[in-house]
Amino acid sequence: MSADRRQFLRSAAAAAASAAAFPLFATAKDAPAVAGPTAKSAAETAVKALYDSFTDKQKADVCFAWDHKDKDRGLLRAFVSNNWQITKHTLNSEFFTKEQRGIVGDIFKGLVNPEWHKRFIKQLEQDNGGKAFGTAQSIALFGEPGGEKFEFVMTGRHQTIRADGNTEKHVAFGGPIFYGHAGKNFTEEKDHPDNVFWPQALAANKVYTLLDDKQKKAARVKKSPAEAAVGFKGDKAKDQPGLLISELTGDVRKEIQKVLEVLIEPFRTEDRDECVAMLKAQGGLDKCKLSFFEDEDVGFDDVWDNWRIEGPSFVWYFRGCPHVHVWVNVADDASVKLNARG
């Protein structure tokens, strides 16, 4: 085992210790004053090892300047979509060595809650015709790991994830991310069998069942926004349709907090902490609205497939029709611009 791989394992152990010391699902009031990944986090340590292993030819194909702009996608490191390849070489191609593929696997594991590793692998394999992890994933690096600014991006069908060591200090998850799953079928049945992310929707739907009639009416919105419409509205977010979460009390308030906990659960401790800290910086859930969309519903069975939590610089947009697509954009500053396409 290389020294870099051993360092990754030590960093992963440290992250696990941090998770034990800090509540797994922190509330805004519990969030640390300073939160987020660093260059020494497990995933970022592995990113540095990967970069150092590249040949000049590999760097020419998958490494870019920090502010590299693609002629079609704009600022490439900031782009997000539901199904795309950031570079032409897939992870399991001969372009990468066996050890490099292993390091990318370490990065992936470093970005994910260990309890979710198997579920993410299941999602990725099912969404790519049963093919192994790496068959349909591509990567890119921006800037230079170990330097002032760098970011690693992995993309594929139903996936955009990032590691940046908190280079982008005003955004959570390194920038906008995407996750999704088509369980047994592209067009899923109303209860979304075998979908690893559907429990998130069930948590949100439990909140809806606890609302009174006036609150339910406020929470229901006729038309779903466009998929990639997850840009920040700042103070104007309060003027959007939906139910102000600040109006919730008692058990309903506890349940919406549980929704937030379920939403951030799949990700590593540092990203969960940072996400909650940034939500707190903009006023917490009380500054957000909860919306359930009446169109594009699978089965029209009183279970809402499309729903959204939105605050000044917080958007978590869950779409369950025809299968699950989830768009996430979180920052502590609403001036951060979105670069996304559905």
Side-chain angles (χ1 to χ4, degrees):
M1 181 185 295
S2 70
D4 288 322
R5 293 295 293 281
R6 286 194 295 271
Q7 176 59 37
F8 168 82
L9 294 174
R10 286 195 294 269
S11 298
S18 172
F22 182 71
L24 182 62
F25 303 125
T27 61
K29 66 181 179 62
D30 295 323
V34 178
T38 71
K40 295 183 179 180
S41 295
E44 280 76 6
T45 299
V47 170
K48 178 67 164 60
L50 179 67
Y51 181 84
D52 290 344
S53 76
F54 282 151
T55 65
D56 289 343
K57 171 62 170 65
Q58 288 176 312
K59 288 180 179 179
D61 280 10
V62 299
C63 297
F64 302 88
W66 175 251
D67 286 328
H68 173 80
K69 290 187 178 180
D70 181 82
K71 64 180 182 180
D72 181 46
R73 293 173 173 143
L75 186 63
L76 189 58
R77 64 175 166 80
F79 186 78
V80 64
S81 190
N82 56 301
N83 187 358
W84 70 299
Q85 300 293 339
I86 194 166
T87 51
K88 64 183 179 181
H89 302 288
T90 56
L91 180 58
N92 286 352
S93 68
E94 293 183 358
F95 178 82
F96 297 101
T97 67
K98 181 179 179 180
E99 181 170 0
Q100 287 170 342
R101 289 193 288 271
I103 295 172
V104 175
D106 288 344
I107 298 169
F108 175 76
K109 290 177 181 177
L111 290 171
V112 173
N113 179 344
E115 295 181 3
W116 269 81
H117 286 171
K118 290 183 179 179
R119 278 174 277 188
F120 267 109
I121 293 297
K122 174 183 177 179
Q123 171 258 310
L124 291 170
E125 290 180 350
Q126 287 187 331
D127 282 339
N128 291 286
K131 297 175 182 177
F133 169 77
T135 304
Q137 283 73 49
S138 62
I139 65 169
L141 281 79
F142 300 87
E144 183 173 345
E148 182 180 353
K149 293 183 177 181
F150 73 93
E151 181 160 300
F152 166 93
V153 184
M154 178 185 288
T155 68
R157 186 185 180 203
H158 293 164
Q159 182 186 75
T160 298
I161 56 174
R162 308 172 188 277
D164 76 338
N166 210 21
T167 293
E168 290 281 52
K169 297 186 183 302
H170 291 288
V171 299
F173 304 107
I177 61 171
F178 180 93
Y179 61 93
H181 189 198
K184 291 187 175 180
N185 300 293
F186 181 90
T187 301
E188 294 187 312
E189 298 174 15
K190 64 181 183 179
D191 54 353
H192 300 263
D194 217 28
N195 193 299
V196 300
F197 299 117
W198 184 241
Q200 295 184 341
L202 295 179
N205 273 274
K206 183 176 180 180
V207 171
Y208 182 81
T209 65
L210 298 175
L211 301 178
D212 61 33
D213 289 344
K214 181 180 178 181
Q215 291 171 331
K216 287 180 178 177
K217 182 177 180 180
R220 293 195 302 268
V221 179
K222 293 292 185 184
K223 185 173 176 58
S224 301
E227 278 219 32
V230 292
F232 300 136
K233 299 183 179 69
D235 290 340
K236 293 181 179 180
K238 67 180 183 300
D239 301 323
Q240 298 302 302
L243 174 67
L244 273 170
I245 291 176
S246 60
E247 296 181 6
L248 303 181
T249 59
D251 289 342
V252 191
R253 193 172 184 82
K254 293 178 182 178
E255 287 301 324
I256 191 64
Q257 175 63 43
K258 289 180 182 178
V259 174
L260 175 62
E261 294 167 356
V262 171
L263 291 177
I264 65 176
E265 178 187 348
F267 305 101
R268 62 176 171 174
T269 302
E270 297 101 319
D271 283 331
R272 297 199 301 265
D273 292 354
E274 186 174 44
C275 178
V276 172
M278 289 188 174
L279 178 59
K280 179 183 178 182
Q282 54 181 286
L285 285 172
D286 281 336
K287 293 293 185 179
C288 296
K289 280 194 164 182
L290 173 64
S291 302
F292 297 91
F293 300 105
E294 296 180 344
D295 63 337
E296 300 184 38
D297 201 54
V298 176
F300 294 95
D301 57 348
D302 297 324
V303 177
W304 304 98
D305 291 273
N306 288 10
W307 52 276
R308 178 178 176 118
I309 299 175
E310 180 171 6
S313 55
F314 181 98
V315 183
W316 212 293
Y317 185 18
F318 188 106
R319 295 177 53 89
C321 180
H323 53 258
V324 172
H325 281 188
V326 187
W327 301 77
V328 180
N329 193 19
V330 179
D332 64 1
D333 183 347
S335 68
V336 176
K337 302 300 183 184
L338 176 70
N339 183 17
R341 185 182 307 157

